Amino acid sequence: MQAVETNTKAAVLETLNKKPLIISGPCSAETEAQVLETAQRLANTGKVDMLRAGIWKPRTRPGSFEGIGTKGLPWLQQAKKITGLPTTVEVATGKQAQDALHFEIDMLWIGARTTVNPFSVQEIADALRGADVPVFIKNPINPDLELWTGAVERIAKAGIKTIGLIHRGFSAYGNTEYRNAPMWHLAIEMKRRNPELKIINDPSHICGRRDILLEVAQKAIDLDFDGLMIESHIDPDHAWSDAKQQVTPEKLAEMLDAITWRKEDVNSEEVHAALEKLRQQINHLDDEMMQILSQRMNLAEKIGQYKKDNDITILQTSRWNEILERAFKRGEKIGLSNEFITKYFDAIHMESINHQNKIMNS
Ligand code: PEP
Ligand code: MN
C-alpha cells in the first residue's frame, strides 16, 4: 500500500515536470456524469496531463452556483480511476484542503480571490503542514506581486515542497477586451524572481470568452510559460459557471494543435552564435540609449534651474502635449505604436520631472 502511494506521488511529480503541462476540466464539477464524461473525452484527446474541477466556487455575487461541495470529490477519484488522469481542485479554506487530501486529490491550487487574503492562505498552509501534496498558487486579483510572493512563502513555510504559479490575469474596473487584464510584465517579473517555480498560464480566466483563448495561450507559450490551465466542458453553453469561456474537450484539442510550441532554447551552436551576436548589438544599443537618456536628464535639470530662477511650474501641459504629438508622428513612420510611445514618454517625463523637482526644491 505504502509503495503504491509513493508511486502515485512520484507519477504526479513526473506529470508536473512535463513541459508543456496541460491541465483542463470544467470550471465547476456539476454532476458525476458530467465529471466522468469530461475526463473521458479529455483523456481521449491524449493531450491533457491533469484534470481540474472547481468543487467550492468563490463567486463574486451570491446566488450564482457556489460549487457542489465535498460530495463532488469522489467523482474526481472515480474519474482518475477510469482515465488515469491525476486531479486538481481549488481550495480556499483549511477544511477544504483537508477534505481534498482525504479524497486523494493529487494537487491543490489556491484561487485568485484567496491569494489576496493572508489569513486564508495561512489557514490553508496550517492545514497542509506535513502533507505531501503539490500546491499551485494563482496570482491575486489585484496586481500585487508581494501578495503573490507572500502566499508562496506561507505555503513553503508549511513544508510544501512542490509549489507552482498560475497566472490568471488581474481585475480592472470597467470593461476591457479581457475579463482579467493579463499584465504580462507582472507574470514575467514573478518568473524572474522565482526561476525555480513552474509557472503556467490560465487563458480561460484572462479571456472570459472562447474566441481569444488561442491567442492568449500562444502568447504564454511564446513567453516560455511551463504550461496551460484551460477550462473545458461537455456542454459549454450550459455550464453552471463561466459558460462563455469554456470549450469542449475536442475544441481544446484543436486549439492545442493550433499552438506553435516553442522551446526556450535549442541545441545548436549556430543558432546560439547568431543569437549571441544580435544580443550584443542590443546590449550596445541599450548602453547608448542609457547614455542619451542621461544627457536628456541633464538638459531637464538645466531647464529646472531656469524654472526655479523664474518661478515657473514644472509641468506645462501644452509642452507635454507637443512632445507626445511629435513622438506619435515620428513613431508612426518608424513602426512604434502609440501605446508604446505613451508608456515610454510617460516614464521619461516622470523621471525628468523628478530630476527637475530635485533642482527646484533644493
Ligand atoms: C477557477 O479556476 O475556476 C477560478 C475560480 O479561478 P480564479 O481563482 O482565477 O478566479
Ligand atoms: Mn472558472
Side-chain angles (χ1 to χ4, degrees):
M1 193 61 211
Q2 187 57 40
V4 173
E5 166 79 342
T6 317
N7 283 344
T8 316
K9 301 261 182 224
V12 170
L13 286 188
E14 199 176 309
T15 301
L16 291 178
N17 277 328
K18 282 176 87 171
K19 188 169 176 176
L21 167 68
I22 306 295
I23 303 176
S24 188
C27 178
S28 303
E30 298 164 3
T31 65
E32 182 169 19
Q34 170 244 10
V35 170
L36 295 185
E37 185 181 336
T38 313
Q40 191 59 65
R41 283 165 57 182
L42 286 172
N44 289 348
T45 68
K47 297 175 195 299
V48 172
D49 304 303
M50 194 177 242
L51 177 68
R52 65 149 277 158
I55 294 288
W56 303 278
K57 302 301 299 179
R59 305 310 299 278
T60 304
R61 306 278 299 270
S64 320
F65 175 57
E66 296 197 317
I68 206 72
T70 309
K71 84 174 205 209
L73 291 172
W75 306 343
L76 286 167
Q77 273 184 309
Q78 185 62 14
K80 177 178 173 175
K81 211 162 152 195
I82 295 172
T83 61
L85 289 175
T87 55
T88 181
V89 302
E90 171 180 350
V91 294
T93 67
K95 171 81 169 63
Q96 291 171 6
Q98 278 164 352
D99 283 358
L101 290 185
H102 179 74
F103 286 95
E104 300 173 307
I105 299 301
D106 295 296
M107 179 178 111
L108 310 179
W109 90 80
I110 295 179
R113 289 170 190 74
T114 306
T115 308
V116 286
N117 186 340
F119 286 133
S120 303
V121 176
Q122 191 56 51
E123 186 192 311
I124 296 168
D126 291 339
L128 291 178
R129 202 167 294 282
D132 181 11
V133 66
V135 178
F136 272 48
I137 302 171
K138 287 202 176 191
N139 66 256
I141 42 181
N142 53 328
D144 183 343
L145 291 190
E146 297 314 316
L147 266 178
W148 201 358
T149 304
V152 172
E153 287 168 348
R154 285 175 200 279
I155 297 298
K157 276 196 175 158
I160 297 297
K161 299 223 165 37
T162 307
I163 298 178
L165 303 169
I166 307 174
H167 168 229
R168 53 77 81 189
F170 301 87
S171 221
Y173 183 70
N175 274 334
T176 53
E177 185 185 2
Y178 300 106
R179 176 175 171 193
N180 291 292
M183 302 191 187
W184 294 101
H185 58 288
L186 293 183
I188 293 168
E189 173 60 12
M190 195 63 183
K191 193 161 134 67
R192 192 191 63 78
R193 289 191 198 176
N194 302 280
E196 73 290 358
L197 302 185
K198 301 217 168 303
I199 181 165
I200 64 173
N201 179 259
D202 170 351
S204 304
H205 293 89
I206 289 178
C207 299
R209 43 187 253 226
R210 315 184 235 288
D211 60 323
I212 53 172
L213 287 173
L214 174 59
E215 66 187 68
V216 167
Q218 181 69 63
K219 175 128 187 190
I221 296 308
D222 291 347
L223 291 173
D224 195 35
F225 276 71
D226 296 296
L228 301 168
M229 183 194 259
I230 301 182
E231 289 183 342
S232 57
H233 194 282
I234 49 172
D235 184 6
D237 285 334
H238 296 106
W240 297 2
S241 60
D242 288 353
K244 287 197 194 119
Q245 69 196 32
Q246 302 200 63
V247 291
T248 62
E250 296 71 28
K251 274 271 169 242
L252 173 82
E254 271 175 38
M255 194 158 87
L256 294 173
D257 275 340
I259 291 176
T260 306
W261 298 97
R262 300 187 220 274
K263 309 176 258 334
E264 191 190 5
D265 208 348
V266 289
N267 212 348
S268 150
E269 296 262 326
E270 200 182 321
V271 173
H272 284 179
L275 276 179
E276 188 48 37
K277 219 166 141 191
L278 291 169
R279 284 183 174 147
Q280 272 173 16
Q281 289 178 45
I282 290 223
N283 285 351
H284 183 70
L285 287 177
D286 280 348
D287 289 349
E288 271 184 30
M289 268 159 48
M290 302 253 289
Q291 200 56 45
I292 290 174
L293 283 174
S294 152
Q295 287 170 14
R296 192 189 191 284
M297 294 308 153
N298 288 342
L299 285 176
E301 284 173 13
K302 279 196 187 129
I303 292 180
Q305 190 61 48
Y306 273 105
K307 287 181 179 168
K308 180 180 184 173
D309 296 344
N310 295 286
D311 286 330
I312 307 174
T313 57
I314 294 183
L315 179 67
Q316 286 146 321
T317 315
S318 57
R319 169 64 182 149
W320 175 226
N321 281 336
E322 183 192 320
I323 289 179
L324 272 183
E325 283 310 317
R326 275 190 81 230
F328 286 157
K329 272 201 199 110
R330 277 188 75 81
E332 207 172 85
K333 283 188 203 134
I334 56 178
L336 299 175
S337 69
N338 282 5
E339 191 199 347
F340 167 73
I341 286 179
T342 307
K343 276 194 210 143
Y344 177 74
F345 275 91
D346 252 342
I348 290 183
H349 188 226
M350 276 320 297
E351 182 72 9
S352 218
I353 286 178
N354 291 342
H355 278 251
Q356 291 192 19
N357 203 7
K358 245 188 270 157
I359 298 283
M360 292 174 76
N361 295 305
S362 63

